[in-house]
Amino acid sequence: MSVLMITEAETALAHLERLTDALRSAGWAVEVAAPADRRPTAHIADPRLPRVNESVIAVRERSGDGWSYCYGWGERIAPCADPSAAAAAVGRVLAARRDN
């Protein structure tokens, strides 16, 4: 019998992939990076203005088994159970930056 062990990085990456799908369907350019020495990160940008961008990570909640999407600096966006809400929130932030 083989044992499948899923690491925290793999779980975070799976959450980011779901977020990526929602962001791309809304028209944002997204790349996911998963270097061995850092957390997996989604880099989101306006495809017409790449300087308008943001980084998002998925982190385990301090209590319980839940996960949340957070901006790269740690501010919580939305629970990973709702990637559409997170995509909408990130989209609003990027659109506001683009329009200023």
Side-chain angles (χ1 to χ4, degrees):
M1 178 171 145
S2 66
V3 175
L4 176 64
M5 182 169 221
I6 298 176
T7 67
E8 193 164 299
E10 290 170 322
T11 301
L13 191 56
H15 288 304
L16 289 175
E17 290 297 335
R18 286 190 289 281
L19 177 62
T20 294
D21 291 342
L23 288 161
R24 285 188 178 138
S25 69
W28 299 103
V30 185
E31 290 184 24
V32 176
D37 61 339
R38 293 191 323 233
R39 293 181 184 270
T41 305
H43 301 283
I44 304 105
D46 184 322
R48 296 175 310 269
L49 294 168
R51 64 178 173 74
V52 176
N53 61 75
E54 192 56 70
S55 295
V56 174
I57 57 175
V59 297
R60 182 186 299 271
E61 294 286 342
R62 291 182 185 200
S63 61
D65 293 334
W67 284 74
S68 289
Y69 295 110
C70 296
Y71 292 106
W73 65 86
E75 181 181 335
R76 186 175 186 275
I77 302 168
C80 288
D82 195 354
S84 294
V90 171
R92 284 190 300 274
V93 167
L94 291 172
R97 286 186 192 162
R98 176 183 61 207
D99 296 340
N100 286 330

